[in-house]
Amino acid sequence: MRRTIVICLLLVMMVACRLSPTTTAPLDSPTLVQPEAETLNLTLIQHASCPWAYFWCVVETGIHDAAQDLGVEVTIRRPHTFDPDAVTRLIEAAVEARPDAIGVAVIDPDKFRAPLTKAVQEFNIPVIAYNAGSGPEQDNIPYRAYIGPDERQGGYEAGKRLLAESPSGIKGACINHQPGALNLEARCQGFFDALSESDIEAERVNITPNPAESKKILQRYITKNPETNLFLTLGPEAAVPFYEVIRNRKGAYSHGTFDLSRTILTAIEQGTTLFAIDQQPYLEGYLTVQWLTWIQRHGFSPPSPIISTGPSFIDRTNVDLIQQQVGQYR
């Protein structure tokens, strides 16, 4: 009797081993083949680009990686110099070409509102704002979501951190390399708000994308305003000429910046810069392509009108990790 039971158990085990979850259907049933997803054509429109702005090289790495991972075609449009009017024309041309979806860095909602609203309401083209924007409600543009940092909050936290590190702060300067870009203006405003809470005066110093010209502007400002000792730069384009000028200055100062580059990370290591605010540009590019693809292919909806990628702080406590990611993810 025991031998019979053992044999039966062995037979059951042998049959079970030969079956698998993928062979439960009859052998003569038809094989189901999932159709390949149709290739989508996305257009992304920026106000700057790689290689003349290091930050955008990281954004575009995220864009290209997402396009490859998801099997979509992405065309990036940008003007040769910072020019909101030229960006507006690029948006208008993209809308008329009717791609499957559009991503835009919304640096000027008033200029961009009409063509983007036309894209959404007349042509039913999904639109996402990335890198620059304040959300569809505040921008009054019916795009699906904004992917990027809270710019004012970043400036505010930068100001509070500079004050914490430099309780003897006398006057602040926000150095803007792209005057007129509303996202950068918001950074300055947050900085001003933080300093005003401690009754510290601050002002905006507008420079240009030209490093030599910017260096001259900053040299004149620092010479005329020796009391200024709290400095915030809004990106590598402002930080680099600032470093060239500040090395000749006598007296203590504190400096923080937005965005990353090898020069900025080295300055953090050396103590020249207290911190950099990272808005994780790789995520801005990758998530924009990802969400535009998901919206078109699956009808997904973003979980909120603002998908924040920052701000986060890079300082001496974590700069070694970030150094390892420069050139791809940072």
Side-chain angles (χ1 to χ4, degrees):
M1 180 67 177
R2 179 178 299 176
R3 182 180 179 184
T4 301
I5 293 173
V6 170
I7 292 173
C8 290
L9 288 172
L10 288 173
L11 289 172
V12 170
M13 292 173 63
M14 291 173 63
V15 171
C17 290
R18 294 181 62 186
L19 293 177
S20 70
T22 58
T23 59
T24 54
L27 295 178
D28 59 349
S29 63
T31 301
L32 296 178
V33 178
Q34 293 293 334
E36 293 187 5
E38 180 182 354
T39 300
L40 298 175
N41 294 297
L42 315 181
T43 297
L44 271 58
I45 304 162
Q46 306 170 171
H47 55 279
S49 66
C50 181
W52 58 273
Y54 168 83
F55 172 91
W56 286 97
C57 295
V58 183
V59 176
E60 291 177 22
T61 296
I63 290 171
H64 295 313
D65 284 357
Q68 182 175 0
D69 291 347
L70 297 166
V72 299
E73 298 290 336
V74 177
T75 300
I76 300 174
R77 303 292 187 194
R78 61 277 208 196
H80 297 296
T81 61
F82 178 74
D83 185 345
D85 290 327
V87 177
T88 303
R89 292 190 291 271
L90 290 174
I91 295 172
E92 291 170 345
V95 173
E96 293 304 319
R98 302 190 193 182
D100 293 306
I102 294 175
V104 182
V106 182
I107 58 170
D108 194 324
D110 291 338
K111 291 181 183 295
F112 299 174
R113 184 170 297 114
L116 291 179
T117 300
K118 180 178 182 180
V120 173
Q121 296 183 349
E122 186 171 334
F123 298 143
N124 197 30
I125 300 173
V127 174
I128 279 183
Y130 69 106
N131 173 257
S134 301
E137 182 175 353
Q138 185 169 334
D139 287 341
N140 192 24
I141 302 174
Y143 55 74
R144 296 294 186 92
Y146 162 63
I147 298 174
D150 184 328
E151 302 288 20
R152 184 204 163 277
Q153 186 65 26
Y156 180 83
E157 292 184 18
K160 299 299 280 188
R161 186 151 180 169
L162 283 172
L163 289 172
E165 298 279 354
S166 308
S168 59
I170 299 173
K171 183 179 178 181
C174 182
I175 304 171
N176 188 349
H177 58 281
Q178 286 182 340
L182 297 190
N183 58 325
L184 300 193
E185 300 291 346
R187 294 177 182 179
C188 282
Q189 188 58 55
F191 177 67
F192 298 154
D193 292 345
L195 267 59
S196 69
E197 291 178 357
S198 297
D199 296 322
I200 293 178
E201 180 186 355
E203 60 186 324
R204 183 182 292 100
V205 181
N206 290 334
I207 59 175
T208 75
N210 184 304
E213 185 177 351
S214 295
K215 183 178 177 180
K216 293 178 182 178
I217 295 171
L218 290 174
Q219 186 62 68
R220 288 195 298 268
Y221 175 80
I222 289 175
T223 300
K224 293 180 179 179
N225 299 271
E227 74 280 13
T228 302
N229 62 350
L230 301 174
F231 295 94
L232 179 66
T233 51
L234 305 186
E237 299 91 339
V240 170
F242 172 79
Y243 292 142
E244 294 181 6
V245 171
I246 204 68
R247 68 165 60 104
N248 299 321
R249 174 191 166 126
K250 296 179 180 180
Y253 70 92
S254 295
H255 172 247
T257 189
F258 278 81
D259 302 334
L260 302 176
S261 70
R262 291 193 183 277
T263 301
I264 288 173
L265 293 175
T266 298
I268 292 173
E269 291 175 331
Q270 296 174 345
T272 304
T273 296
L274 292 175
F275 59 82
I277 295 178
D278 181 23
Q279 57 182 299
Q280 303 184 103
Y282 181 90
L283 287 181
E284 291 179 358
Y286 196 101
L287 292 177
T288 298
V289 173
Q290 185 179 65
W291 269 108
L292 289 173
T293 302
W294 283 351
I295 288 169
Q296 276 290 35
R297 283 186 178 164
H298 309 301
F300 289 169
S301 296
S304 66
I306 296 177
I307 301 173
S308 180
T309 63
S312 63
F313 282 87
I314 310 301
D315 55 25
R316 279 186 165 182
T317 66
N318 57 1
V319 67
D320 290 342
L321 172 64
I322 304 305
Q323 281 277 27
Q324 300 171 24
Q325 302 179 11
V326 171
Q328 183 173 6
Y329 298 112
R330 303 285 185 170

